[in-house]
């Protein structure tokens, strides 16, 4: 099929404004008379608030108002949770505990960064200075930061509603793991720590709120992925009528899941603007971002894999403690359950899966979705354990994977965790990746390098993920509190120009381009004639937003539906005016032709004009040309692929360097390869970052030790290599575009690939396991420990041999 | 605190103004001159989003006081394109997909512009070293490096002709 735009790397329509510094992000919004807000945040991880004294602060220069949690208590409800695990769902043991989450804490603070008061002043510096003068009298309480230790009886308790700091117990049982393990010839067990990560969107969060006393309208500019959900939840929490709240997501400088919630600051800023009838701005500082914006991952897992000596895997068992932080963020309960436990089948046939997850509260920043959200954690376990299983059998990791792959399928395949994959061909990306990477030659190079102090290793990750969130009824049965469909409106203007409105809300993914490609393809008009609007609740009726690689699968399909409606109407108008039945009119190259009589045609612009001047429309047809659609998918989409990492470890220093990275992804059909490549690259860098250097570290007292980008070690251009990417194409049957979603694949695949490579490099020393991140010290200790153990074993053998000889004498 | 008078050139235009002694160059550009293209990502010199050129050398404008800019010449992202004509580097970023969310992009453009002035034909390693002070979380850096290589090649070709 020849296409005008779909499948082409057209230049992004967003870029001319972004490349010249003309993008408007929240911090670039400046309103007349705007005040600035600073938050007083708890320096303690767990404490009772005995008294807040604002008298010093309120006398500070420039201060306009100060609000404490108690001041706003009557105006604000608790921050809501949008994913509720209920006993009624077969996976959940009891209704999850959802303790109150006040936007400003007023009895207790539960993590360093918990906000207790808001100071509003004429300028941001004066606000910050005055915030430092708010005197809070705290009574310190015991602290727990570890998600597993939190469940122990003697651990400090965060919420009276959640005994043993346990929010929920959730499980999946497919087949019979215990039975399989009993019969298995090999069982491998391993504990894994999937460390806590900080998303690090380059733009921190920020909110500007304005209130119009005449119309009772609150307008909120916020750096978010979900403007419509922010509006809905803002109305629910504050009682301000939804129709009088407008939420605008302007340019959003990255998010990666961290801007997918209703945050306290959105409510506080909005309500203070209303209280003062003045515009108020709050922009998060970076250190504040590290404390107040959600974190990701933080799992402690006990894993087990079993199977036979011929390499057949028969089962997988997982017990995970998922650290949820101090409070439930909007989607927190859904991430380590549905998006984690249900993904433990991987791309494999094994019929027995057992998974138990404890969601726990600790004195840390709340944890929620971070790029991949649950799937990276699942993939990390599955792919590392498959490798551990192969190593135990001294079999090749690729051969073991191939042996256990599900066979190809085009339209639905159920797996042990109970979910239904859409389409898959798991060998194809492996074959392609091995065309790009000479595996045999590498093994030779690896052996030869061993004497030189450079340890080489290769790691594979044949991942699968769940995208296209989501079929609403299925998601609801698993706990989702909102429908997850998507909407679009296509408005064809009288001049033939087109505005596309989408409920998705991009933050770097280039939707303005991708959706214009789809619209241009369908309408046969140049992309320059199309403008894509998003991120404003006053422009689009409702939308779910952008997350879970859903925008093109769900939002793109909603767009295709509206485009079809518009074309159908145009076809009817053209048929009426050309005097033929509508079924005889075809649309090609921007013209409506009478089938078989190609000379008779009406061009796009003429038909649009007819729709608006309405002189001669078919009987009963309404004038104008606009269509709105809502799409709720029948299933999720399930991208997959094969990533290969090659690492080099310095035997003397433990320094681990990623030498090469090959990624073959199957995300179904591709609209814009350049955009997809870019998202895959960025995802890989985040996964590699987790494997090699990133990690949020808390001290015993609950202080975030990695409090800056430097300490946390966000990867730089020097830390990552160039990526070699390719694709196989297995279209999804669940949407007309055949797309699967591309936003998270890299992150999901990369960490296990890199870690498997590192273990591959070190296995000959007897090292079987390391946890992320592979900082030099970790690897150095492992190498030296393994060498010392070998030496001790050798001398023990020698001693035994000597004493044996002595005994024989 | 008494305001101090400064006189400096910003994107080719001479500016005279009174600044507070504690204003950073970043907030002076963003809040007083409405040059909001330069971004604040961390305010402690870790991320490089606020990178500007001062007398041809790159600096994090969040770590420079406005008073220090007195008598100097500052170039921001708004000063790169010439009357709407994008530079070869800006064009290369668009062509190669060197940006996604765009927040770090102004800083990268300034760092790369300074690099190419100093070294018109940098190796991949030199490029990576020279933009290591700019963090990007979207692109994984590959396409940024390629954009800079592409621009270097175009500028080299143009110079040779």
């Amino acid at each position: 099929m020849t296409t005008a735009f779909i499948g082409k790397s057209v230049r992004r329509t967003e870029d001319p404004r972004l490349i010249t510094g003309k993008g408007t992000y929240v911090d670039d919004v400046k309103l007349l008379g705007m005040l600035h807000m600073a938050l007083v945040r708890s320096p303690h991880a767990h404490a009772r608030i005995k008294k807040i004294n604002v008298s010093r602060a309120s006398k500070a220069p420039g201060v306009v108002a100060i609000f404490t949690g108690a001041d706003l208590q009557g105006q604000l409800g608790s921050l809501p949770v949008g994913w509720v695990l209920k006993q009624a769902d077969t996976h959940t043991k009891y209704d999850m505990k959802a303790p109150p989450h006040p936007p400003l804490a007023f009895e207790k603070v539960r993590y360093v960064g918990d906000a207790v008061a808001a100071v509003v002043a004429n300028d941001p510096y004066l606000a910050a200075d005055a915030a430092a003068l708010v005197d809070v009298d705290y009574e310190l309480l015991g602290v727990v930061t570890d998600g597993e230790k939190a469940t122990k009886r003697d651990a400090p308790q965060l919420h009276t509603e959640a005994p043993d700091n346990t929010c929920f117990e959730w499980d999946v049982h497919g087949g019979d793991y215990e039975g399989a393990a009993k019969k298995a010839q090999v069982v491998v067990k391993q504990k894994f720590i999937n460390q806590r990560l900080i998303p690090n969107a380059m733009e921190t969060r920020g909110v500007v709120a304005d209130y119009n006393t005449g119309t009772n309208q609150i307008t909120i500019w916020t750096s978010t992925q979900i403007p419509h959900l922010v509006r809905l939840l803002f109305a629910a929490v504050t009682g301000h009528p939804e129709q009088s709240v407008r939420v605008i997501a302007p340019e959003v400088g990255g998010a990666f899941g961290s801007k997918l919630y209703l945050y306290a600051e959105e409510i506080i800023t909005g309500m203070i603007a209303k209280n003062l009838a003045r515009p108020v701005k709050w922009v998060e500082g970076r250190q504040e971002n590290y404390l107040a914006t959600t974190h990701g991952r933080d799992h402690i897992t006990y894993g087990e894999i079993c199977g036979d000596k011929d390499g057949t895997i028969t089962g997988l068992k997982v017990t995970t403690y998922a650290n949820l932080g101090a409070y439930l963020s909007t989607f927190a309960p859904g991430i380590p359950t549905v998006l984690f436990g249900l993904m433990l089948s991987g791309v494999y046939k094994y019929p027995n899966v057992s998974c138990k997850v404890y969601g726990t509260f600790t004195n840390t920043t709340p944890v929620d979705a971070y790029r991949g959200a649950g799937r990276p954690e699942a993939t990390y376990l599955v792919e590392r354990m498959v490798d551990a299983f192969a190593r135990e059998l001294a079999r090749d990791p690729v051969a073991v994977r191939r042996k256990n792959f599900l066979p190809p399928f085009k339209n639905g395949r159920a797996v042990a965790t109970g979910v239904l994959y859409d389409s898959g061909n798991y060998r194809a990306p492996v074959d392609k990746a091995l065309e790009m990477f000479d595996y045999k030659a590498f093994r030779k190079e690896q052996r030869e390098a061993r004497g030189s102090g450079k340890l080489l290793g290769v790691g594979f990750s044949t991942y699968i993920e769940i995208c296209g969130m989501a079929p609403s009824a299925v998601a609801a049965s698993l706990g989702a509190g909102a429908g997850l469909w998507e909407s679009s409106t296509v408005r064809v203007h009288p001049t033939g120009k087109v505005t596309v409105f989408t409920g998705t809300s991009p933050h770097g993914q280039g939707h303005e381009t991708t959706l214009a490609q789809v619209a241009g393809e369908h309408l046969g008009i140049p992309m320059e004639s199309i403008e894509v609007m998003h991120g404003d609740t006053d422009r689009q009726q409702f939308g779910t937003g952008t997350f879970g690689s859903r925008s093109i699968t769900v939002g793109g399909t909603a767009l295709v539906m509206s485009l079809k409606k518009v074309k159908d109407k145009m076809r009817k108008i053209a048929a009426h005016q050309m005097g033929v039945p509508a079924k005889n009119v075809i649309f090609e190259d921007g013209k409506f032709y009478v089938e078989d009589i190609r000379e008779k045609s009406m061009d796009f612009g003429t038909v649009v004009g007819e729709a608006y001047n309405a002189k001669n429309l078919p009987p009963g047809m309404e004038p104008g040309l606009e269509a709105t659609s809502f799409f709720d998918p029948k299933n999720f989409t399930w991208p997959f692929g094969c990533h290969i990492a090659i690492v080099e470890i310095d035997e003397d220093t433990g320094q681990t360097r990623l030498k090469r990275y090959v990624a073959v992804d199957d995300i179904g059909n591709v609209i814009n390869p350049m955009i997809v490549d870019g998202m895959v690259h960025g995802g890989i860098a985040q996964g590699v970052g987790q494997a090699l250097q990133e990690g949020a570290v808390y001290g015993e007292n609950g202080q975030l030790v990695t409090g800056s980008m430097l300490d946390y070690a966000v990867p730089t251009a020097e830390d990552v290599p160039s990526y070699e990417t390719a694709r196989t194409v297995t279209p999804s049957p669940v949407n007309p575009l055949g797309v699967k979603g591309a936003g998270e694949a890299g992150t999901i695949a990369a960490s296990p690939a890199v870690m498997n490579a590192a273990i591959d490099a070190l296995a000959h020393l007897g090292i079987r396991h390391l946890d992320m991140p592979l900082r030099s010290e970790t690897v150095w200790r492992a190498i030296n420990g393994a060498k010392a153990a070998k030496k001790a074993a050798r001398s023990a053998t020698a001693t035994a041999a000597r004493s044996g000889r002595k005994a024989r004498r | 605190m008494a305001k101090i008078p400064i006189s400096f050139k910003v994107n080719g235009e001479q500016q005279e103004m009174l600044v507070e002694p504690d204003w950073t160059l970043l907030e002076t550009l963003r809040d007083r001159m409405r040059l909001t293209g330069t971004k604040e990502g961390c305010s402690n010199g870790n991320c490089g989003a606020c990178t500007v050129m001062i007398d041809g050398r790159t600096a994090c404008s969040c770590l420079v006081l406005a008073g220090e800019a007195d008598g100097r010449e500052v170039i921001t992202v708004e000063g790169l394109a010439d009357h709407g004509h994008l530079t070869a580097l800006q064009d290369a970023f668009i062509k190669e997909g060197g940006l996604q969310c765009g927040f770090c992009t102004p800083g990268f453009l300034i760092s790369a512009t300074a690099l190419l002035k100093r070294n018109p034909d940098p190796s991949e390693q030199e490029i990576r070293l020279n933009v290591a002070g700019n963090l990007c979380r979207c692109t994984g850096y590959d396409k940024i490096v390629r954009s800079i290589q592409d621009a270097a090649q175009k500028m080299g070709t143009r110079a040779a002709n």
Side-chain angles (χ1 to χ4, degrees):
Chain A
M1 187 176 97
T2 57
T3 57
F5 304 114
I6 287 183
K8 304 213 161 121
S9 290
V10 301
R11 290 177 168 222
R12 300 201 324 166
T13 50
E14 293 88 344
D15 289 353
R17 66 174 188 265
L18 298 177
I19 208 85
T20 49
K22 289 176 190 147
T24 301
Y25 301 78
V26 170
D27 196 17
D28 304 332
V29 174
K30 295 172 202 298
L31 304 179
L32 198 63
M34 189 166 75
L35 300 170
H36 297 266
M37 182 178 85
L39 290 164
V40 179
R41 295 189 182 276
S42 169
H44 305 296
H46 199 192
R48 198 174 304 284
I49 302 170
K50 289 172 72 181
K51 199 174 152 203
I52 300 180
N53 185 343
V54 300
S55 64
R56 282 201 305 150
S58 54
K59 288 183 208 120
V63 170
V64 175
I66 300 176
F67 297 86
T68 64
D71 295 335
L72 291 177
Q73 204 184 335
Q75 293 182 41
L76 307 178
S78 171
L79 286 170
V81 187
W83 200 289
V84 182
L85 301 171
K86 290 217 162 109
Q87 197 177 358
D89 119 48
T90 53
H91 300 291
T92 305
K93 195 166 169 188
Y94 44 79
D95 287 357
M96 74 173 202
K97 316 287 192 233
H101 184 182
L104 283 176
F106 51 82
E107 284 168 345
K108 269 173 89 180
V109 289
R110 295 181 174 86
Y111 67 100
V112 174
D114 212 352
V116 297
V119 177
V120 185
N122 289 322
D123 118 350
Y125 290 98
L126 295 177
D129 286 350
L133 297 176
V134 172
D135 296 305
V136 187
D137 195 0
Y138 292 105
E139 176 194 332
L140 301 192
L141 301 168
V143 172
V144 62
T145 61
D146 177 298
E148 184 180 7
K149 286 183 187 153
T151 63
K152 305 293 181 231
R153 272 289 137 89
D154 57 347
Q157 297 292 302
L158 270 79
H159 302 277
T160 47
E161 297 82 355
D164 299 329
N165 296 316
T166 304
C167 172
F168 60 79
E169 291 178 44
W170 186 95
D171 57 32
V172 189
H173 293 289
D176 168 22
Y177 177 82
E178 298 306 333
K182 244 177 243 163
K183 276 186 242 149
Q185 293 167 326
V186 185
V187 179
V188 184
K189 297 183 184 185
Q190 185 61 55
K191 179 183 176 184
F192 295 92
I193 292 172
N194 200 307
Q195 83 271 33
R196 177 180 284 246
L197 300 179
I198 298 179
N200 277 295
M202 291 307 300
E203 180 206 26
T204 58
R205 287 185 300 122
V207 184
V208 173
D210 194 15
Y211 178 64
N212 184 322
T213 49
T215 61
N216 194 34
Q217 173 99 6
I218 299 179
T219 306
I220 295 169
W221 289 259
T222 179
S223 186
T224 185
Q225 304 170 233
I226 48 160
H228 287 89
L229 292 178
V230 167
R231 179 177 68 162
L232 167 65
L233 297 174
F234 182 94
V237 172
T238 63
H240 196 86
E242 189 180 2
Q243 77 277 15
S244 301
V245 181
R246 178 182 183 186
V247 175
I248 300 168
E251 303 288 358
V252 173
F256 316 111
S258 71
K259 298 173 180 172
L260 171 49
Y261 323 111
L262 177 74
Y263 274 100
E265 293 85 354
E266 287 162 331
I267 295 179
I268 297 165
T269 314
M271 290 311 283
I272 290 179
K274 184 178 176 181
N275 274 286
L276 301 177
R278 295 268 306 264
V280 177
K281 180 188 242 184
W282 167 77
V283 175
E284 192 180 45
R286 179 59 64 183
Q287 277 175 302
E288 191 178 23
N289 171 265
Y290 270 36
L291 301 175
T293 291
T294 55
H295 294 174
R297 318 281 190 263
D298 204 340
H299 284 197
I300 296 170
T301 292
Y302 297 86
E304 213 178 297
I305 189 166
C306 67
D308 294 333
K309 284 185 179 158
D310 69 350
T312 307
I313 302 168
T314 53
L316 185 80
K317 182 182 171 184
V318 159
T319 304
T320 291
Y321 294 86
N323 190 337
L324 304 169
Y327 302 95
L328 291 177
S329 167
T330 311
F331 294 112
I335 310 305
T337 53
V338 176
L339 296 182
F340 168 74
L342 298 181
M343 296 308 296
L344 291 170
S345 283
V347 290
Y348 306 108
K349 287 184 287 198
Y350 48 80
N352 306 295
V353 173
S354 169
C355 164
K356 171 111 189 173
V357 182
Y358 299 88
T360 64
F361 293 110
T362 64
N363 298 112
T364 60
T365 294
V367 176
D368 207 320
Y370 164 57
R371 202 171 193 171
R375 295 95 95 200
E377 295 91 316
T379 304
Y380 183 68
L381 291 176
V382 171
E383 291 303 302
R384 291 238 18 217
M385 282 163 71
V386 167
D387 251 43
F389 179 76
R391 183 157 288 116
E392 183 73 19
L393 296 176
R395 282 178 179 271
D396 178 76
V398 178
V400 168
R401 281 179 171 77
R402 284 186 194 276
K403 190 174 179 71
N404 290 283
F405 279 159
L406 291 161
F409 57 97
K410 282 186 181 155
N411 202 354
R413 161 93 200 208
V415 293
T417 55
V419 293
L420 184 77
Y421 293 173
D422 61 342
S423 59
N425 182 3
Y426 306 126
R427 285 163 182 267
V430 178
D431 292 342
K432 191 150 199 170
L434 289 177
E435 283 168 22
M436 297 160 72
F437 167 70
D438 189 340
Y439 191 24
K440 223 184 220 171
F442 172 81
R443 286 292 182 210
K444 189 161 169 267
E445 190 190 345
Q446 180 184 39
R447 278 192 302 274
E448 288 167 359
R450 258 176 210 155
S452 70
K454 296 282 179 205
L455 305 177
L456 299 176
V458 60
F460 297 85
S461 170
T462 49
Y463 73 97
I464 183 163
E465 57 157 328
I466 178 172
C467 292
M469 318 284 161
S472 298
V474 178
S477 76
L478 295 167
L484 290 170
W485 43 266
E486 198 46 86
S487 71
S488 81
T489 295
V490 172
R491 180 175 301 159
V492 186
H493 302 283
T495 54
K497 305 290 185 195
V498 172
T499 306
V500 167
F501 298 88
T502 176
T504 66
S505 197
H507 33 282
Q509 295 90 340
H511 292 176
E512 290 171 33
T513 310
T514 304
L515 294 179
Q517 285 179 261
V518 173
E521 188 76 45
H522 277 261
L523 299 179
I525 57 173
M527 282 176 64
E528 296 75 54
S529 300
I530 302 162
E531 186 158 14
V532 177
M533 295 287 187
H534 54 76
D536 183 344
T537 57
D538 267 14
R539 281 178 170 163
Q540 180 61 12
Q541 182 262 335
F542 199 87
T544 304
T546 289
F547 52 88
S549 303
R550 67 186 302 278
S551 294
I552 192 64
T553 53
V554 192
T557 302
L559 171 59
V560 170
M561 289 163 67
S562 292
L563 293 166
K564 283 196 171 144
K565 287 179 192 169
V566 161
K567 275 198 295 187
D568 280 348
K569 182 168 182 177
M570 292 179 80
R571 182 179 287 115
K572 281 179 192 151
I573 296 170
H576 174 70
Q577 299 210 352
M578 293 190 290
V580 295
K583 65 174 167 46
N584 293 354
V585 173
I586 54 166
F587 181 62
E588 237 176 63
D589 305 325
K591 282 184 177 170
F592 292 89
Y593 292 97
V594 177
E595 209 176 14
D596 305 328
I597 320 172
R598 303 288 287 191
E599 307 84 60
K600 217 170 173 186
S601 73
M602 286 177 80
D603 67 21
F604 184 84
T606 308
V607 180
V608 173
E610 292 298 326
Y612 275 94
N613 69 37
K615 313 183 282 222
N616 183 15
L617 295 178
M621 179 181 275
E622 294 174 20
L625 198 52
E626 174 169 316
T628 293
S629 306
F630 301 84
F631 176 63
D632 195 6
K634 292 247 178 326
N635 190 1
F636 300 89
T637 53
W638 306 81
F640 56 91
C642 173
H643 286 209
I644 305 178
I646 292 95
V647 302
E648 182 182 284
I649 297 175
D650 185 310
E651 197 168 353
D652 293 328
T653 65
Q655 195 183 19
T656 305
R657 197 170 65 84
L658 182 60
K659 272 189 79 174
R660 217 183 138 184
Y661 199 94
V662 174
V664 180
D665 297 293
D666 195 321
I667 55 165
N669 292 330
V670 170
I671 312 289
N672 186 320
M674 176 188 80
I675 287 178
V676 165
D677 280 340
M679 287 197 286
V680 168
H681 288 178
I684 293 169
Q686 289 181 5
V688 168
Q690 176 175 25
L692 295 183
Q693 59 192 73
E694 292 180 36
V697 177
Y698 278 98
E700 286 291 316
N701 56 359
Q703 297 294 334
L704 183 66
V705 178
T706 49
S708 76
M709 295 175 111
L710 208 61
D711 298 305
Y712 175 82
V714 176
T716 73
E718 282 194 288
D719 296 323
V720 288
S722 202
Y723 318 102
E724 300 161 54
T725 60
R727 275 182 284 278
T728 59
V729 178
T730 308
S732 173
V734 305
N735 62 64
L737 289 165
V739 289
K740 291 198 172 204
E744 297 156 290
T747 314
I748 291 166
S751 351
V754 174
M755 291 302 291
N756 282 340
I759 303 296
D760 183 62
L762 300 169
H764 67 289
L765 300 171
I767 295 167
R768 289 289 174 272
H769 174 74
L770 287 171
D771 279 316
M772 302 183 284
L774 288 178
R775 291 185 177 148
S776 302
E777 183 189 343
T778 309
V779 181
W780 182 85
R781 283 185 190 282
I783 291 172
N784 282 283
K787 284 183 174 170
K790 260 196 177 166
K791 208 169 163 187
R794 263 203 307 273
S795 69
T797 319
T799 313
R802 266 200 304 278
S803 54
R805 278 198 296 274
K806 265 183 204 159
R808 276 199 297 278
R809 259 181 230 156
Chain B
M1 282 184 291
K3 287 192 175 177
I4 46 174
I6 61 167
S7 162
F8 66 144
K9 224 181 212 183
V10 178
N11 298 331
E13 273 183 47
Q14 194 63 37
Q15 304 281 345
E16 320 282 333
M17 59 167 63
L18 285 172
V19 297
E20 295 283 355
D22 61 353
W23 284 0
T24 65
L25 177 59
L26 175 62
E27 67 166 326
T28 306
L29 293 168
R30 284 182 52 80
D31 296 344
R32 318 292 152 173
M33 304 174 72
R34 302 273 322 190
L35 291 170
T36 55
T38 304
K39 300 300 178 197
E40 179 165 0
C42 71
S43 57
N44 60 8
N46 286 174
C47 81
C50 66
T51 307
V52 298
M53 243 186 282
I54 304 177
D55 290 346
R57 296 176 59 133
T58 56
C60 287
S61 59
C62 73
L63 299 181
V64 176
L65 291 171
E68 295 178 86
D70 185 39
R72 294 170 184 264
E73 179 168 8
V74 175
I75 307 273
T76 71
V77 65
E78 290 93 342
L80 294 179
D82 185 13
H83 295 95
H85 293 289
L86 298 182
T87 64
L89 183 71
Q90 287 172 310
D91 190 62
F93 264 70
I94 298 179
K95 181 177 147 256
E96 296 290 328
L99 68 158
Q100 290 181 33
C101 82
F103 196 80
C104 70
T105 312
F108 271 96
L109 289 170
I110 296 290
S111 290
T113 301
L115 166 66
L116 294 178
K117 273 198 182 142
R118 229 174 25 248
N119 177 359
D121 185 25
S123 67
E124 179 181 338
Q125 222 166 354
E126 284 168 327
I127 292 173
R128 287 183 182 273
L129 175 71
N130 275 277
V131 298
N134 295 81
L135 298 178
C136 168
R137 196 65 162 163
C138 293
T139 65
Y141 303 106
D142 205 3
K143 286 174 179 285
I144 291 177
V145 172
R146 285 187 216 177
S147 303
I148 298 168
Q149 285 174 320
D150 182 73
Q153 203 193 351
K154 286 229 173 72
M155 289 159 75
T157 315
R158 209 177 312 160
N161 288 341

